[in-house]
Amino acid sequence: MSGLRVEQYVVGPVMTNCYFAVNEDTNEMLVIDPGDSAKQLIDKIKERALKPAAVLLTHGHFDHAWAAKEVAEEFSVPVYAEEHEKETLLSPEINLCGMMGQRGVVFHADVYVKDEDTLDLAGFSVKVLHTPGHTKGGCCYYIEKEQALFSGDTLFCQSVGRTDFPGGSASVLIRSIEEKLLPLPGQTKVYPGHNETTTIGYERQYNPFL
C-alpha cells in the first residue's frame, strides 16, 4: 500500500473542507468534496503535477458538490456518490442551492456506489460506509490501511452533522455513527467536512452527542 498524504483546502461560503488524498509514490490522487473554487483546486492540481483518479462526494449539498463537475471534466475522471444520494443531487430544494439564491441548480454523479463497496482508486483501497442522517445518501470513505476516514458532514470534532435539512434525521445519524464509525480503530484519523481533524478514539471519549 502506498503512502497517503492528505491536503486540506477550505473552500466556499460556509468554509467546507475539500481534501486531496494523494498517493505519495505515484502522485495519483482523489478529490474529496470539491465544494467550490473549482479554478483554485484545478490550478493546485496542475501546478503540482498531481493525477486525479476520481472525485468522491460524501453527500450532495451544494457546499460539497458545487465544483465536482468542473473538476471532473477538467481531468476526465468520474464523480462518485452513494446510491441513495441521487435525489439530493438532482433536487435544488434538497441540495440547498435555493438557500443561496441559486434556483434550479442540480449536481450529478457518474458512479453510484453502495454501502460496503470497496473502490480501487489511485492505488488505495477505499471502503464506502453509508452513514445516513445528515442526508439520505450521506457516506464516509475509509482507507483502512492508512487509518483515514473522510467523514463529510456525518461526524465532526466534538460534534455531528445537522439534521434539520430535508432528509435529515438525528436518530438515524447517531445510529450511523455508532454502528459504522465508532467501531473503527481508535487511532483512525477523521477528516470532516468542516472544522478541524480528529480521531475516532477522541470522539468516542469526548463527543457529547454520542
Side-chain angles (χ1 to χ4, degrees), residues 164-200:
D164 56 337
F165 295 133
S169 167
S171 61
V172 171
L173 181 68
I174 296 302
R175 185 165 64 250
S176 293
I177 295 170
E178 290 180 341
E179 293 180 355
K180 297 290 184 66
L181 304 187
L182 294 190
L184 299 177
Q187 66 269 26
T188 302
K189 194 161 187 180
V190 178
Y191 298 93
H194 303 274
N195 304 320
E196 66 269 26
T197 59
T198 183
T199 66
I200 290 295

Side-chain angles (χ1 to χ4, degrees), residues 1-4 21-23 28 30 32 53 56 116-129 140-150:
M1 179 62 65
S2 302
L4 169 69
V22 181
N23 182 322
E28 291 181 285
L30 305 172
I32 301 166
L56 305 183
E116 302 288 330
D117 277 356
T118 298
L119 314 176
D120 183 11
L121 297 169
F124 301 116
S125 180
V126 184
K127 188 173 185 178
V128 179
L129 301 176
C140 301
Y141 297 100
Y142 177 46
I143 306 179
E144 181 178 4
K145 291 188 178 180
E146 301 294 343
Q147 298 181 348
L149 178 79
F150 298 91

Side-chain angles (χ1 to χ4, degrees), residues 30-34 53-57 67-69 71-72 77-81 141:
L30 305 172
V31 182
I32 301 166
D33 285 350
V55 173
L56 305 183
L57 297 179
K69 181 178 180 181
V71 172
V77 298
V79 177
Y80 288 72
Y141 297 100

Side-chain angles (χ1 to χ4, degrees), residues 39-208:
K39 184 180 185 303
Q40 171 195 348
L41 298 173
I42 289 168
D43 287 347
K44 287 183 181 296
I45 292 169
K46 289 182 175 179
E47 286 166 6
R48 315 224 340 267
L50 300 176
K51 296 179 282 189
V55 173
L56 305 183
L57 297 179
T58 61
H59 63 292
H61 284 162
F62 78 93
D63 57 315
H64 292 253
W66 193 279
K69 181 178 180 181
E70 189 171 347
V71 172
E73 288 183 347
E74 180 69 28
F75 299 101
S76 300
V77 298
V79 177
Y80 288 72
E82 206 276 336
E83 61 178 348
H84 297 89
E85 197 66 348
K86 188 171 186 177
E87 182 183 10
T88 301
L89 291 166
L90 295 177
S91 170
E93 292 73 28
I94 304 177
N95 67 35
L96 308 182
C97 284
M99 292 179 58
M100 302 301 293
Q102 301 289 333
R103 303 292 178 184
V105 177
V106 299
F107 306 116
H108 85 289
D110 301 295
V111 181
Y112 285 97
V113 295
K114 299 180 179 181
D115 185 38
E116 302 288 330
D117 277 356
T118 298
L119 314 176
D120 183 11
L121 297 169
F124 301 116
S125 180
V126 184
K127 188 173 185 178
V128 179
L129 301 176
H130 180 214
T131 52
H134 180 64
T135 63
K136 289 182 179 179
C139 72
C140 301
Y141 297 100
Y142 177 46
I143 306 179
E144 181 178 4
K145 291 188 178 180
E146 301 294 343
Q147 298 181 348
L149 178 79
F150 298 91
S151 65
D153 286 3
T154 296
L155 178 65
F156 300 123
C157 183
Q158 296 190 27
S159 189
V160 297
R162 289 178 62 169
T163 58
D164 56 337
F165 295 133
S169 167
S171 61
V172 171
L173 181 68
I174 296 302
R175 185 165 64 250
S176 293
I177 295 170
E178 290 180 341
E179 293 180 355
K180 297 290 184 66
L181 304 187
L182 294 190
L184 299 177
Q187 66 269 26
T188 302
K189 194 161 187 180
V190 178
Y191 298 93
H194 303 274
N195 304 320
E196 66 269 26
T197 59
T198 183
T199 66
I200 290 295
Y202 185 88
E203 296 312 307
R204 281 195 205 122
Q205 186 169 0
Y206 296 112
N207 194 311

Side-chain angles (χ1 to χ4, degrees), residues 5-24:
R5 182 177 75 251
V6 178
E7 302 176 7
Q8 173 185 332
Y9 300 97
V10 180
V11 297
V14 291
M15 308 295 284
T16 302
N17 291 332
C18 169
Y19 295 104
F20 290 0
V22 181
N23 182 322
E24 293 187 309

